[in-house]
Amino acid sequence: MKNNFSDIQNTIEELHCKYLPFKDGHTADYIPELAHANTNHFGIAVVTTEGEVFKVGNCEASFTLQSTSKPFVYGLALEQNGQEKMLSKVGVEPTGDAFNSIIELEKQSHRPYNPMINSGAIAVSSLIQGTSFHDKIATIIKAFESYVGHALVVDENVFLSEKKTAHRNRAIAHLLRHFGIIEEDNIEEILDLYFKQCSILVNTIDLATIAATIAGGGVQPFTKNQVVHSNTARDILSLMFTCGMYDSTGEWAYTVGLPAKSGVSGGLLAALPGKMGIAVYSPLIDERGHSLRAVKVFQELAKKYSLSVFSHEDN
Ligand code: GLU
């Protein structure tokens, strides 16, 4: 039956057992520091909008947000700049291209298609308001702290590793500057802001809590604080649904049917609006940048509980 979660703890324990031996995929070695991730780590966490927590596996192991940060930094920029300004700089259309594609910038208006891909996220970084670089990164960290309900830090090793090897992202940022999407010449500072947001350390429960906050219209499930406006939460969910899984967003919508976002460190979060946030962490990813164990777990959960936002009540 749709959304009867009374046996959710047993279900996630079974899924954890089933997929722990599953070793397909690889760590994100294009960021050298991420290549060292412990491939045995595997956590599944569910946090309801009422603050109930279900978890199994390595839910306390920390990892960097990577692209799971993108919807929420977009939300911050949206609240600072308003929809009109945001839409003039970054679109809201899915692409069939990879997360780090440069091709679409050569097309049409040169505006990144959406804020979930790297070009869009780097453009969003250039729109974060603040009096200095430190002020801007502090604002971003503070936003994530209000989502998770405790203090967070940046993994400086991952930050430096990505900064040193980010030739492609650097090229994207320079193209964005060339086309006037980025308006200032401080390209390295904008990239540093993006790399730092990607390098914020969280664990699987944090990720599920972030998802639960968005699922609850912006209300943090434990502190009950309104972290973002409910309209912002709605816009974030729309973008996650249409663009969150890069070039497999259509397949994800078909097999899982929830707004979601993945990151190359192996985190994947999804929101069941009004009910809960779900997160899975396992650093073994596929060629599109999605955690393979996480995709399997979500597909099974979606089937068992009719999670799709389009499922009928009688399913
Ligand atoms: N920091 C990563 C990059 O820019 C994020 C990619 C991802 O998580 O999908 O390549």
Side-chain angles (χ1 to χ4, degrees):
M1 199 177 81
K2 184 175 166 65
N3 296 172
N4 178 353
F5 293 104
S6 53
D7 60 348
I8 186 76
Q9 181 62 38
N10 280 343
T11 305
I12 60 175
E13 283 172 18
E14 276 168 28
L15 290 173
H16 188 267
C17 235
K18 178 169 175 184
Y19 289 109
L20 191 58
F22 183 81
K23 297 272 184 182
D24 284 6
H26 56 88
T27 54
D29 50 8
Y30 78 99
I31 300 175
E33 199 61 27
L34 295 185
H36 309 142
N38 184 340
T39 57
N40 292 320
H41 278 173
F42 179 25
I44 307 173
V46 176
V47 174
T48 69
T49 50
E50 303 298 321
E52 273 178 295
V53 179
F54 305 92
K55 57 178 178 156
V56 60
N58 308 99
C59 284
E60 271 84 25
S62 42
F63 54 92
T64 53
L65 280 170
Q66 297 303 328
S67 285
T68 56
S69 62
K70 289 172 180 171
F72 311 102
V73 177
Y74 179 84
L76 176 63
L78 180 63
E79 292 199 334
Q80 290 178 336
N81 297 284
Q83 261 191 357
E84 201 181 326
K85 171 82 176 174
M86 292 307 286
L87 286 172
S88 73
K89 295 291 183 185
V90 188
V92 287
E93 291 300 331
T95 71
D97 296 321
F99 71 93
N100 56 3
S101 172
I102 220 159
I103 294 171
E104 96 275 0
L105 289 178
E106 286 283 12
K107 296 187 210 154
Q108 296 175 2
S109 65
H110 309 302
R111 190 182 61 151
Y113 269 64
N114 68 69
M116 303 295 115
I117 51 173
N118 288 8
S119 55
I122 293 167
V124 168
S125 297
S126 77
L127 294 164
I128 295 295
Q129 310 287 314
T131 50
S132 64
F133 173 78
H134 292 289
D135 186 39
K136 291 177 192 175
I137 187 61
T139 303
I140 290 175
I141 294 173
K142 211 167 133 233
F144 281 104
E145 288 178 341
S146 50
Y147 274 106
V148 301
H150 60 82
L152 292 170
V153 292
V154 166
D155 184 327
E156 292 296 329
N157 291 332
V158 172
F159 164 70
L160 290 173
S161 181
E162 181 162 359
K163 180 178 167 70
K164 202 170 153 198
T165 53
H167 306 297
R168 201 177 173 91
N169 282 334
R170 199 158 275 117
I172 288 173
H174 280 278
L175 267 183
L176 290 169
R177 175 69 189 107
H178 172 77
F179 291 127
I181 299 292
I182 289 179
E183 289 178 19
E184 311 276 334
D185 286 328
N186 56 344
I187 302 294
E188 283 305 312
E189 193 180 293
I190 291 164
L191 283 167
D192 279 357
L193 202 59
Y194 171 69
F195 302 145
K196 288 247 177 190
Q197 89 178 45
C198 289
S199 303
I200 294 171
L201 281 167
V202 291
N203 63 32
T204 315
I205 299 163
D206 293 335
L207 216 53
T209 306
I210 295 171
T213 304
I214 284 301
V219 177
Q220 213 271 6
F222 306 118
T223 63
K224 306 291 178 201
N225 290 335
Q226 186 82 42
V227 168
V228 285
H229 195 279
S230 59
N231 287 347
T232 308
R234 178 203 60 203
D235 292 350
I236 289 172
L237 287 169
S238 313
L239 279 164
M240 283 166 58
F241 194 80
T242 52
C243 312
M245 296 296 283
Y246 303 136
D247 41 343
S248 55
T249 299
E251 189 184 328
W252 176 269
Y254 195 77
T255 59
V256 179
L258 291 179
K261 188 72 201 83
S262 65
V264 289
S265 51
L268 207 168
L269 64 88
L272 179 58
K275 296 226 161 67
M276 60 177 59
I278 308 172
V280 182
Y281 170 63
S282 160
L284 292 167
I285 60 169
D286 64 14
E287 68 289 347
R288 283 160 161 165
H290 310 314
S291 169
L292 276 161
R293 282 181 179 129
V295 170
K296 296 266 180 213
V297 167
F298 272 107
Q299 285 175 345
E300 293 222 16
L301 286 175
K303 208 182 255 179
K304 172 153 190 185
Y305 296 107
S306 302
L307 289 183
S308 168
V309 290
F310 303 113
S311 294
H312 192 268
E313 282 296 331
D314 295 338
N315 282 351

